[in-house]
């Protein structure tokens, strides 16, 4: 199947889903109290975007996501490279990391609440923790994917450790790391949303939880669409960068 056909099929499926979302509740096939029509949800989204309360909540959430991401990515990448490059550290920490990674991260949220309280720092720390684990595991795999013959040739020409890292590791790891950024941002968003929904007085996650608890389905679905749009835009931006860097592996 050609690329235009794939794009057309995707758009057709999306149009079908959106049409069903509008048609089914509008004609009482689905209870409109549980699933409001799409047009009503979009109208509510426009109203929400005009409210100062929503602007403030979006600003708080955006700050938490950005700060957690800035902390988690360099920390996770540095630790991942160190563990993959040092056999002694790898033998010690790799099994422990796999065990921690397999545990649902939400069970650690009460610990962050006890340490940081219900605060900006608590949400950032929890999101950074969940994101750093993903980056760490991916960075470890990225280092191990670097071709050994490239490193051998560089060393034979007298390249220093810093030059090997900059000229061999970074170009070879970049496509995988960019893909990791897309995945880690999902975990980052999820971490912030969980923290805001269960232990917060501000943020878009807190508003969504409040709308759900009060059965305000229009506001709830509008908030979900808003978050999904932001996530998709970031995902496609990183996908574009990933495609531009994919030639580095050749």
């Amino acid at each position: 199947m050609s690329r235009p056909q794939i794009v057309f099929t995707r758009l057709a499926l999306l149009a079908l889903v959106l049409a069903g979302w509008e048609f089914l509740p509008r004609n009482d096939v689905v209870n409109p109290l549980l699933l409001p029509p799409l047009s009503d949800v979009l109208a509510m989204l426009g109203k929400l975007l005009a409210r100062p309360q929503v602007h403030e909540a979006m600003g708080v959430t955006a700050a938490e996501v950005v700060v957690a991401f800035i902390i988690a990515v360099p920390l996770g990448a540095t630790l991942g490279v160190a563990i993959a490059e040092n056999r002694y550290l790898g033998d010690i920490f790799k099994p422990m990391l796999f065990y921690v990674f397999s545990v649902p991260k939400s069970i650690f949220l009460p610990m962050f609440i006890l340490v940081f309280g219900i605060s900006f720092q608590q949400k950032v720390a929890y999101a950074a923790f969940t994101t750093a684990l993903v980056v760490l595991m991916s960075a470890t795999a990225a280092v191990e994917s670097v071709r050994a013959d490239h490193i051998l040739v560089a060393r034979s020409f007298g390249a220093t450790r810093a030059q090997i890292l900059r000229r061999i590791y970074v170009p070879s790891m970049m496509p995988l790391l960019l893909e990791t950024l897309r995945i880690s941002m999902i975990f980052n968003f999820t971490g912030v949303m969980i923290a805001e929904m269960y232990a917060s007085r501000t943020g878009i996650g807190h508003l969504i939880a409040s709308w759900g608890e009060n059965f305000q389905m229009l506001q709830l679905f509008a908030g979900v669409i808003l978050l999904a749009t932001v996530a998709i835009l970031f995902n496609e931006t990183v996908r574009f960068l990933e495609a531009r860097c994919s030639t580095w592996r050749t």
Side-chain angles (χ1 to χ4, degrees):
M1 186 178 289
S2 64
R3 180 66 179 176
Q5 289 176 319
I6 294 175
V7 173
F8 176 79
T9 303
R10 289 175 178 174
L11 293 177
L13 289 174
L14 177 61
L16 183 62
V17 171
L18 296 180
W21 188 352
E22 177 66 26
F23 175 82
L24 295 178
R26 186 70 67 185
N27 292 275
D28 293 325
V29 178
V30 176
N31 190 342
L33 294 177
L34 298 176
L35 181 65
L38 177 60
S39 57
D40 293 347
V41 173
L42 294 178
M44 176 56 67
L45 177 59
K47 295 177 182 179
L48 291 178
L49 291 176
R51 295 180 183 178
Q53 179 190 17
V54 175
H55 293 171
E56 180 183 355
M58 290 174 60
V60 170
T61 299
E64 292 165 353
V65 169
V66 170
V67 173
F69 198 70
I70 290 174
I71 294 173
V73 171
L75 178 62
T78 302
L79 293 176
V81 171
I83 291 173
E85 275 286 277
N86 191 302
R87 181 175 298 179
Y88 177 72
L89 293 178
D91 292 340
I92 295 175
F93 289 107
K94 273 186 181 181
M96 298 170 58
L97 291 172
F98 280 112
Y99 293 143
V100 174
F101 192 76
S102 63
V103 175
K105 309 306 176 295
S106 57
I107 67 174
F108 296 106
L109 180 57
M111 298 170 54
F112 287 89
I113 296 173
L114 289 174
V115 174
F116 296 98
I118 300 177
S119 63
F120 179 89
Q121 292 81 359
Q122 169 254 323
K123 290 174 283 186
V124 168
Y126 176 73
F129 165 72
T130 58
T131 306
L133 284 176
V134 178
V135 177
L136 192 156
M137 299 296 289
S138 299
T140 302
V143 171
E144 294 174 348
S145 71
V146 177
R147 294 178 57 177
D149 56 339
H150 289 176
I151 301 174
L152 180 62
V153 170
R155 285 175 177 168
S156 66
F157 278 94
T160 64
R161 192 176 187 86
Q163 289 174 328
I164 292 174
L165 179 63
R166 187 174 66 254
R167 301 289 180 86
I168 305 296
Y169 278 103
V170 172
S172 297
M173 293 165 55
M174 188 59 67
L176 183 56
L177 289 179
L178 286 173
E179 183 177 355
T180 300
L181 288 182
R182 291 196 290 118
I183 299 173
S184 61
M185 179 53 77
I186 296 173
F187 281 83
N188 196 30
F189 265 119
T190 303
V192 170
M193 288 299 104
I194 290 175
E196 287 186 347
M197 287 180 176
Y198 290 97
S200 179
R201 301 184 185 91
T202 57
I204 194 68
H206 170 70
L207 290 181
I208 290 177
S210 177
W211 292 331
E213 292 171 358
N214 292 282
F215 207 68
Q216 296 175 286
M217 304 307 290
L218 280 173
Q219 290 87 337
L220 176 62
F221 280 103
V224 170
I225 289 177
L226 177 61
L227 290 180
T229 302
V230 174
I232 290 172
L233 288 175
F234 179 86
N235 182 77
E236 292 306 311
T237 300
V238 179
R239 187 192 298 274
F240 172 77
L241 295 175
E242 181 185 351
R244 293 291 299 272
C245 296
S246 61
T247 56
W248 291 4
R249 294 188 69 89
T250 59

